[in-house]
Amino acid sequence: MPEDETQPQTRTATRAQSPHTATATASAMDSPAPQTAQTTSGPAGPAPWVLRLVAVGLVLTALNLRPAITSLGALLEEVRDGLHMSGSVAGVLTSVPPLCFAVFGIMAPRLARRFGPGAVVCAGMVAIAAGLVIRPFVGSTAGFLAASALALMGIAVSNILMPVIVKRWFPDRVGSMTGLYSMALALGTALAAAVTVPMTDAFGGSWKAGLGIWAVLAAVAVLPWIPLMREGRGAPGQATAQQHGDAPALRITRSRTAWGLACFFGLQATAAYIAMGWMPQIFRDAGVSAGTAGVLLAVTMAMGVPLAFVIPRVAARMKNQGPIVVFLCACGLVGYAGLYIAPAGGAWAWALLLGIANCAFPLALTMIGMRSRSGAGVVRLSAFAQSTGYLISIPGPLLVGVLYQHSGGWGLPIALMAGLMVPQMVAGILAGRDRTIEDEC
């Protein structure tokens, strides 16, 4: 494009003036954040006890953003038998999370402007707790899906507002606090996968109790947000409104980079939700015990704890993130090939490789922060890439369930999972090029 000749100098100058790009990623924030601390936090900073309470709230909230999904994956066979689900219906169940994230996540910014982010996150934790308590005991597939949607609604709005809260309360520590809640999110994901089956056994083999017990953790996460509901109102919503008001008139759908990011985000989310929903079942059908299958999923999810710190920082130092995309997708291809050839024999190796491949999520957030010159542009790009991406990810888990039921085995589903790595690699390479959406719109 004609703009390419001048874009390096322009991008270098403008990025230094746009600290809000840090909101979408932990890696690109640490350097500009101190320069904006005074303008963001106001003349008087919050009391130390408030900051400590917000930090506790962030960690507890992040711990609750995935157990509703990974605990179900560990007990999917028992839930299917208990509710008499077909494979296709179970596939619908595993497609519910991205659908809820796409639909309910759109509501989060408007709710935050009206009620304040703290109040919305508090309500989100209440919704998670209520959904997790209700869904095991409704006794029907429709009721189970509805209660799951309630919990996932709470997850969706809370997930979207985590960066907003970090930016509001910790403007000079955005990177470290984002890393903290990212680590807690990965820890909660892995913990639910690892201990759900042992807890179910401890409750006498009741899958209802094994799923419902996670409501306790969500109920605990409500507590720190109650005194913060009034503290959190005002400034975050006003800042968000100002950002939207100052946003340039970008037609983001004209940007190849934006579409590349949306597709990359959607395909990595597809792989993640297929893994969370179906990977334990793949191992169990290969002869692995239920407890070990849950631990294997936990290993896959736990890879995100250390790599969520490493990958964004490495990516931020590179002009082109394509090589990282290729490496992650190659790990995924090898992992799926191993699942196809020897699912039980090399189970631990495949779990590790697929865990590395699933770390495309923090890479996607990093690229969102690097592909726009302004904070308003990052907001637009993040909303477009994530909402479009979650919509793209909806059919994947459902299709895996349909293929599994009609083929009677895992050969075709695993081939589909491996095949999706190829367009994910192509989209990631496109999204990783050293350019911004402003260059293309």
Side-chain angles (χ1 to χ4, degrees), residues 414-433:
I414 292 174
L416 171 67
M417 299 176 209
L420 290 176
M421 282 285 122
V422 177
Q424 180 179 327
M425 186 185 302
V426 173
I429 292 172
L430 177 64
R433 297 176 302 166

Side-chain angles (χ1 to χ4, degrees), residues 240-251:
T240 303
Q242 289 172 1
Q243 288 175 2
H244 284 290
D246 297 338
L250 295 175
R251 295 188 178 181

Side-chain angles (χ1 to χ4, degrees), residues 308-353:
F309 285 98
V310 176
I311 289 177
R313 285 162 173 75
V314 173
R317 295 186 178 98
M318 302 173 66
K319 290 184 177 181
N320 189 320
Q321 290 75 43
I324 303 178
V325 171
V326 173
F327 171 74
L328 296 178
C329 291
C331 289
L333 286 171
V334 175
Y336 287 128
L339 278 182
Y340 185 90
I341 297 170
W348 295 99
W350 317 142
L352 285 170
L353 286 168

Side-chain angles (χ1 to χ4, degrees), residues 129-226:
L132 293 181
V133 165
I134 294 170
R135 75 174 182 177
F137 303 103
V138 289
S140 68
T141 299
F144 191 94
L145 287 170
S148 295
L150 175 62
L152 292 167
M153 178 179 66
I155 294 173
V157 296
S158 301
N159 197 38
I160 293 293
L161 293 177
M162 289 293 96
V164 177
I165 291 171
V166 168
K167 189 68 176 177
R168 163 68 174 86
W169 293 104
F170 304 97
D172 56 342
R173 289 181 284 163
V174 177
S176 59
M177 295 307 297
T178 302
L180 178 65
Y181 86 73
S182 297
M183 182 181 66
L185 191 153
L187 181 61
T189 305
L191 187 66
V195 305
T196 295
V197 171
M199 286 196 305
T200 300
D201 294 339
F203 288 121
S206 171
W207 63 267
K208 295 181 179 181
L211 290 182
I213 192 64
W214 293 103
V216 176
L217 183 62
V220 173
V222 174
L223 301 178
W225 295 108
I226 295 174

